[in-house]
Amino acid sequence: MGDLATEVVPGVLHKYHGRALFIATGACGINCRYCFRRHYPFSDSSANHSQWEQALEYLQRNREINEVILSGGDPLTLSDQRLTKLLDLLEKIPHLQRLRIHSRLPVILPQRLTPELVTQLDDSRFHSTLVLHINHAAEISNPLIRGLALVRTNRTTLLNQSVLLRGVNDSTGELIKLSEKLFEAGVLPYYLHLLDRVEGAAHFEVDETHAIELHKALRLRLPGYLVPRLVRETAGEKSKSPVR
Ligand SMILES: *Cc1c(COP(=O)(O)O)cnc(C)c1O
Ligand code: SF4
C-alpha cells in the first residue's frame, strides 16, 4: 500500500491530510489470514516504548495534524495503564482534537471494553471514535453488544470497517444483516474494503465487478446511513479510493 513510504518516523504513517496513523504496538491478538499488516516489518517500525517519544515529537511538530489514529497491530492489546499514559501524552499536544482507535480485539475479547477504558475516553478532552473491524453479523455476540453499550453511554462515536471476503460476507443478504446488526449495537458502517492483495489470501478475493454490484444492491435496500463506503487503498492516493 506504499505504507512504508509514508512512514515519517518509526511508528507514524502520515499519508492523509490532518490525520496521522500511530502504530502504538505491532501486537495483535487475532492474526487474520488476509491481514495486510502481516507482511509489515513491525519489529522495526511499531512505535514501541522507546519510539513513542519520536512519534509524539513528530505529532507535536506537525500542527496540520488534528486527528491521531491509534492502530497497529491492535492498540487495545495495550493495557489500560499504557493507554492512559499514551493518552496523557497526546492530550498535551494542543492541535490534536480527535482520537480514533482502530481495533478488532473486542470481537474476540469483549471484556476488553473495560469500564476503565470507557471512563478514560469519557474524561479525555478528545472527541473519540472507536472503529471496530467486524466482517459478519455472527461476530456480533451478546457480550460484545453489552461492551459496546458501555462505550455508547459516553460521547465516543462507534463505527465499523469490514473487509469484503469471498465465501464469508460477499452476498447482499449477509451484508444487509451485518449493517442492521451493527446498527442495533449502536455502530454505523463506515468502510467496506476490497481485499488487499496479500500473500495467501487469494481465495478470499471478490472481483471488483461483483463488489460494485453488491454495493449497488445495498444502496437499493438500506437507508444511506447503513451503507458502508466501498473503498480500496491505492498507493500514492491522498484518501481511500471509492470503488464504483
Ligand atoms: C486508512 C488510513 C487513515 C484513515 O483514513 P480515513 O479515511 O480518515 O478513515 C489514515 N492514515 C492511513 C495511513 C490510513 O491507511
Ligand atoms: S485484527 Fe487487524 S491487525 Fe489484527 S490480524 Fe486482523 S486485520 Fe490484522
Side-chain angles (χ1 to χ4, degrees):
M1 295 308 105
D3 271 0
L4 280 175
T6 61
E7 181 162 345
V8 284
V9 293
V12 178
L13 307 184
H14 189 189
K15 194 168 169 183
Y16 302 149
H17 183 86
R19 289 145 291 167
L21 200 133
F22 189 141
I23 299 172
T25 170
C28 175
I30 302 193
N31 204 18
C32 306
R33 282 187 289 171
Y34 55 81
C35 179
F36 63 95
R37 297 255 152 83
R38 255 168 70 178
H39 303 279
Y40 197 85
F42 271 130
S43 45
D44 307 335
S45 60
S46 69
N48 60 35
H49 238 174
S50 60
Q51 289 166 335
W52 275 9
E53 206 175 316
Q54 217 183 332
L56 290 160
E57 197 265 330
Y58 179 84
L59 298 175
Q60 174 84 50
R61 208 158 14 97
N62 286 270
R63 307 179 60 90
E64 175 264 302
I65 300 169
N66 56 19
E67 176 166 356
V68 61
I69 303 171
L70 303 185
S71 185
D74 196 311
L76 292 186
T77 58
L78 297 174
S79 66
D80 282 334
Q81 292 92 307
R82 293 284 309 282
L83 273 176
T84 306
K85 186 159 175 225
L86 182 55
L87 244 77
D88 285 347
L89 293 165
L90 290 169
E91 281 180 3
K92 293 202 175 84
I93 303 175
H95 49 273
L96 293 180
Q97 299 300 326
R98 297 189 299 274
L99 171 79
R100 216 197 294 182
I101 299 177
H102 281 181
S103 176
R104 177 156 164 78
L105 198 59
V107 176
I108 54 159
L109 196 69
Q111 312 88 286
R112 181 63 192 87
L113 300 173
T114 58
E116 291 73 23
L117 175 66
V118 172
T119 308
Q120 193 178 329
L121 294 176
D122 217 4
D123 293 347
S124 166
R125 73 169 178 83
F126 292 133
H127 299 281
S128 303
T129 306
L130 174 60
V131 184
L132 297 148
H133 169 178
I134 300 172
N135 299 318
H136 194 279
E139 290 185 311
I140 306 174
S141 64
N142 288 333
L144 177 59
I145 292 171
R146 285 195 292 275
L148 293 173
L150 274 182
V151 183
R152 275 172 82 187
T153 57
N154 79 5
R155 46 193 189 89
T156 302
T157 300
L158 290 172
L159 300 176
N160 183 61
Q161 48 186 343
S162 310
V163 180
L164 187 58
L165 298 167
R166 174 146 51 115
V168 177
N169 59 8
D170 62 334
S171 72
T172 315
E174 290 305 341
L175 290 171
I176 288 176
K177 265 194 267 174
L178 174 60
S179 274
E180 289 179 337
K181 188 128 192 212
L182 283 169
F183 184 68
E184 282 164 31
V187 183
L188 287 177
Y190 179 39
Y191 280 139
L192 177 61
H193 295 271
L194 289 189
L195 192 72
D196 294 323
R197 289 239 160 96
V198 300
E199 226 175 288
H203 58 297
F204 284 131
E205 192 161 331
V206 175
D207 79 70
E208 187 173 317
T209 318
H210 185 44
I212 292 169
E213 277 164 17
L214 285 170
H215 195 245
K216 190 170 174 197
L218 291 187
R219 289 202 306 272
L220 294 174
R221 296 272 300 275
L222 287 169
Y225 61 89
L226 291 186
V227 180
R229 299 155 183 80
L230 181 66
V231 290
R232 72 145 48 91
E233 200 133 340
T234 318
E237 288 292 322
K238 289 296 179 194
S239 72
K240 313 263 184 242
S241 317
V243 178
R244 54 188 161 217

